[in-house]
Amino acid sequence: MVLRALVPWDGLAPAGSTLHVDVYDGVAAPPSDVDDVVCYVLPYPQVTAMPLITRMPRLRYLQTLYAGIDDVAPLVPAGATLCNGRGLHDASTAEHALGLILAAQRYLQTWVRNQDRHEWRQQYTASLADSTVVVVGYGSIGQALGRRLVACEATVVPVASRPREGVHGIAELPALLPTADIVVLVLPLTDSTDRLFGADSFALLRDGALVVNVGRGRVLDSEALLAEGGRIRAALDVTDPEPLPADHPLWTLPGAIITPHVAGGSATFYPRARRFVAEQLRRIVAGEQLHNVVLGPPIVAL
């Protein structure tokens, strides 16, 4: 039987392999017959491509290019291996988070709107230098952001789900938030993080503090943020709901900057993702242990 893989880009077939590799980029119409697909690499973005998983009875290996797996995990067939894209988005997401912080602190949205009106209006701004930044979610993306923040002369307070040397545990947040000028959320969506940052957290922040979310939209309680009425500034690459409806009040919340979940998808991401997928396919054909296994056996038996 011919073994078949479905991947987002061409040129990824392992040299000398009998694995037949087809391309599905998530934009064109999906293949009509996927019964023989044993390896599926979800295109990026993946929303329209996920229903195909349920039509793949022989699927043994599923690769998502996101770090989070909350939307994919329920679809993984029993016995199949799921790998995530941990590490692929570190630079892109850290850059975007830093850009949101700088835009908010230096009032870039104000200057852009003034430019649209041809208005020359000067004022002093906030700064990133000498600010205290609490980074909630200190995995690979949080650490990549931390390095960039230190280069900008900020004080970084790292927070993870559990404490470790040099990193606070998330249970310490109530004591840390009153000290924060900026809070960055870089968290996956789990039962414990769903609306983790809500009214109680906002109440601990000083007036004018900035909350940045580049993790998952539902980690931050949108209604609680709206209830602050602009007392707390926000820079959001992810929202709840998502996509954000055109009439949603978050669009017009004073002090808010919103980008449409684009932090991870920069020019840096795609070459890294392509190299990663090529290596994963090589390992599958060679019977070697895979990178970033989150569900299932670490070696795929085709």
Side-chain angles (χ1 to χ4, degrees):
M1 182 181 69
V2 175
L3 301 179
R4 186 173 167 219
L6 204 58
V7 303
W9 312 288
D10 59 10
L12 296 181
S17 168
T18 58
L19 185 67
H20 184 78
V21 180
D22 287 336
V23 175
Y24 171 52
D25 63 4
V27 178
S32 57
D33 183 8
V34 292
D35 286 353
D36 58 350
V37 171
V38 294
C39 303
Y40 184 28
V41 180
L42 285 159
Y44 184 87
Q46 66 187 21
V47 175
T48 59
M50 286 195 297
L52 273 186
I53 298 171
T54 62
R55 293 169 45 198
M56 297 176 174
R58 295 183 175 86
L59 188 66
R60 304 301 302 155
Y61 165 71
L62 179 63
Q63 175 73 58
T64 174
L65 300 176
Y66 287 94
I69 62 166
D70 49 281
D71 50 353
V72 179
L75 303 177
V76 180
T81 294
L82 171 65
C83 298
N84 71 0
R86 185 180 69 250
L88 298 180
H89 299 276
D90 293 2
S92 296
T93 306
E95 283 182 353
H96 196 84
L98 179 61
L100 289 174
I101 292 169
L102 289 171
Q105 293 299 92
R106 298 310 301 266
Y107 305 171
L108 295 190
Q109 71 274 32
T110 298
W111 312 133
V112 169
R113 289 165 182 156
N114 287 351
Q115 179 181 351
D116 289 340
R117 295 189 294 262
H118 301 186
E119 293 180 356
W120 185 277
R121 300 176 61 185
Q122 296 176 320
Q123 68 180 99
Y124 289 108
T125 72
S127 178
L128 174 55
D130 299 332
S131 295
T132 296
V133 185
V134 175
V135 179
V136 187
Y138 212 64
S140 59
I141 293 174
Q143 291 170 43
L145 174 60
R147 292 190 295 271
R148 288 159 174 79
L149 292 170
V150 169
C152 291
E153 302 180 40
T155 298
V156 176
V157 181
V159 179
S161 56
R162 291 179 296 276
R164 57 183 187 266
E165 186 175 356
V167 180
H168 298 274
I170 206 161
E172 299 174 68
L173 265 184
L176 298 174
L177 291 179
T179 71
D181 299 298
I182 302 166
V183 179
V184 186
L185 305 175
V186 200
L187 291 167
L189 181 62
T190 65
D191 290 343
S192 61
T193 65
D194 194 350
R195 294 179 176 82
L196 169 74
F197 210 89
D200 291 346
S201 299
F202 288 120
L204 295 172
L205 294 174
R206 64 187 65 167
D207 292 353
L210 171 67
V211 175
V212 179
N213 192 3
V214 291
R216 285 291 185 265
R218 278 175 51 188
V219 170
L220 185 149
D221 187 331
S222 296
E223 295 303 317
L225 174 60
L226 288 168
E228 293 293 326
R231 184 186 74 85
I232 302 299
R233 296 176 299 140
L236 310 175
D237 183 58
V238 289
T239 60
D240 179 30
E242 191 174 303
L244 197 62
D247 60 351
H248 198 281
L250 274 179
W251 288 113
T252 53
L253 179 67
I257 299 173
I258 296 173
T259 58
H261 202 155
V262 293
S266 74
T268 298
F269 161 73
Y270 289 99
R272 297 182 183 198
R274 186 183 180 94
R275 291 193 296 270
F276 176 78
V277 170
E279 173 61 13
Q280 290 285 75
L281 292 178
R282 186 199 68 76
R283 287 172 175 263
I284 288 172
V285 170
E288 297 177 6
Q289 184 160 326
L290 298 169
H291 294 300
N292 292 8
V293 174
V294 290
L295 290 174
I299 299 175
V300 173
L302 298 180

